[in-house]
Amino acid sequence: MQNSEKIWRLVDARKDDYEALSDRVWGMPELCYGEYRSVAEHKAMLEQEGFRITENVAGIPTAVMGEAGDGGPVIAILGEYDALPGLSQVAGIAQPQEVERGGHGHGCGHNMLGSAALLAATAVKNYLAQAGIKGRVRYYGCPAEEGGAAKAFMVRAGCFEDVDIAITWHPSAINRVDDAQSLAGVRVDYTFRGRASHAAAAPHLGRSALDAVELMNVGVNYMREHMPSDARIHYALLDGGGVAPNVVQAFAKVRYSIRARELPGMKALIERVRKVAEGAALMTETRVEISTISGVSNLLGNTPLEQAMQRQLEHLGPPPFDAADLQYAAAIQATLSAEDIASAFARAGVAPRRDTPLCDFVVPYGTKGAPMMGSTDVGDVSWVVPTVQARVATHAIGTPGHSWQITAQGKSGQAKKGLVNAAKVMAGVAVDALGDPGLIARAKQDLKARTDVTPYDCPIPPDVNPPLQPRP
Ligand SMILES: [Zn+2]
């Protein structure tokens, strides 16, 4: 804690380059395992800063790792840079307007996520060099957080085996330690094969794969009443079997996302969905092939690291938003419903306020809000390494996740101030851990206690590999 000001100055000294990095990555939105330009930007920064670089981490061409320092504990700082489809949006305005029709966009703020993590790692590297102490800092540039579960594949490949603690953050509307409530989740494809025929002349000879998909969806929708209320199932039709209604569809494919509060509950749910799929195939006399695409585990908290992060957040205070930031955030809030704004406060567990569009407080440690219903591949890291995650305000309170409003605010003043605050908080925790071996020991003990009864069981089957994309 006493070294916080020192490490924060090191963050400030390098922040301009990382704000620019965040803006550049914002301007080249790339999807799931296709982040070739974004990872090249991150690699170039690692080179410029003098990190030792490992490319092709876990055999993934868009993953990169940079290490600095020697001996001592290994502190990992995790970054991301993938975008989302269909969220192309002009920056700095408060109405929907695409940059490119149907284009991608940074609708989850991962341009900031990666830049702040790399800025934190750089500051820690410089701190280690100045202080002349033993210890290593690593920046893990992790692709494909949105649906690709890259970190789970990286965990499975052993990339974190010698890491002592891992630190990360996510852009948010609120300043707080993440309450480690994400859902375990998998994506599974169900491919049905039937028999084509003339839909009018010989319908009795056809067996419709599309019918099977529809019946499967109906079956799963009936199942919802009888599954845990905090589980989630969603589906998307990947292939409806063609565009001709007069041909019985011989092929159809549906992708399911199945989520539950914890790994064992998720596995039970996958099994029930499998039975529904097989039932649909039986009813339609089609065949079904089931293949898992990706999977992530639920997040595990870590009390000692969370308390260290809370001290950093409180000591540092909220990002220093200015009048222009507040004005833009208010314009964004005008595009939201009262319900959007109220639910942001409910998730944080604090009473709703209408006097500021940007978060000017830090949520007290241990505040219980409405649980987060999303999933993240940080979950898998948290099962094998003590992990802590900050949420730092970068956008107007109430801004929905995965929205044009997040893309719009991705290069704003609030984004940059949040990015720098996040880097300071993460670097501060790293320096705390480097200066206090007891903190790392307590963090490891905490993880051991959480995983003693149910050890880590990778949700991705051993024969499934990441769906890598070719270099464009
Ligand atoms: Zn995200």
Side-chain angles (χ1 to χ4, degrees), residues 80 108 110 145-146 170 402:
E80 298 165 12
C108 202
H110 295 182
E145 193 280 326
E146 300 291 355
H170 202 288
H402 296 188

Side-chain angles (χ1 to χ4, degrees), residues 206-428:
R207 295 293 180 269
S208 171
L210 181 58
D211 286 358
V213 166
E214 291 199 56
L215 287 166
M216 176 183 175
N217 295 344
V218 169
V220 169
N221 288 337
Y222 270 90
M223 203 181 89
R224 291 180 196 281
E225 191 185 346
H226 310 287
M227 62 184 214
S229 57
D230 56 1
R232 294 285 185 273
I233 301 185
H234 351 274
Y235 53 81
L237 190 58
L238 298 191
D239 190 331
V243 293
N246 59 346
V247 177
V248 170
Q249 291 84 356
F251 181 92
K253 189 172 184 177
V254 63
R255 174 166 295 176
Y256 268 70
S257 170
I258 302 167
R259 315 193 208 215
R261 189 48 69 199
E262 283 171 346
L263 275 178
M266 182 180 77
K267 293 199 166 169
L269 215 48
I270 296 169
E271 204 40 35
R272 292 177 68 189
V273 174
R274 180 185 65 77
K275 288 178 186 167
V276 174
E278 287 174 355
L282 189 65
M283 282 189 279
T284 52
E285 295 190 317
T286 58
R287 285 176 292 119
V288 62
E289 284 161 30
I290 301 175
S291 53
T292 303
I293 303 301
S294 67
V296 298
S297 302
N298 54 298
L299 270 172
L300 293 183
N302 192 284
T303 307
L305 292 181
E306 287 164 2
Q307 289 170 342
M309 183 169 266
Q310 183 74 23
R311 286 194 294 273
Q312 291 291 327
L313 278 164
E314 286 177 5
H315 188 33
L316 181 63
F321 299 122
D322 62 24
D325 303 331
L326 292 167
Q327 193 182 6
Y328 181 36
I332 289 285
Q333 272 200 337
T335 71
L336 309 175
S337 68
E339 205 179 352
D340 287 329
I341 296 167
S343 78
F345 285 102
R347 274 199 304 277
V350 294
R353 282 170 48 187
R354 294 309 300 263
D355 58 335
T356 175
L358 286 167
C359 182
D360 60 0
F361 56 91
V362 172
V363 177
Y365 185 66
T367 303
K368 287 274 168 275
M372 207 272 256
M373 299 310 284
S375 304
T376 168
D377 61 5
V378 176
D380 292 83
V381 180
S382 76
W383 279 78
V384 298
V385 178
T387 301
V388 67
Q389 183 166 250
R391 296 204 160 249
V392 177
T394 58
H395 47 254
I397 298 168
T399 307
H402 296 188
S403 64
W404 66 264
Q405 289 96 334
I406 293 207
T407 314
Q409 293 171 87
K411 290 167 81 174
S412 63
Q414 57 259 40
K416 295 195 170 111
K417 293 178 186 81
L419 179 168
V420 173
N421 252 46
K424 287 179 176 173
V425 168
M426 290 187 285

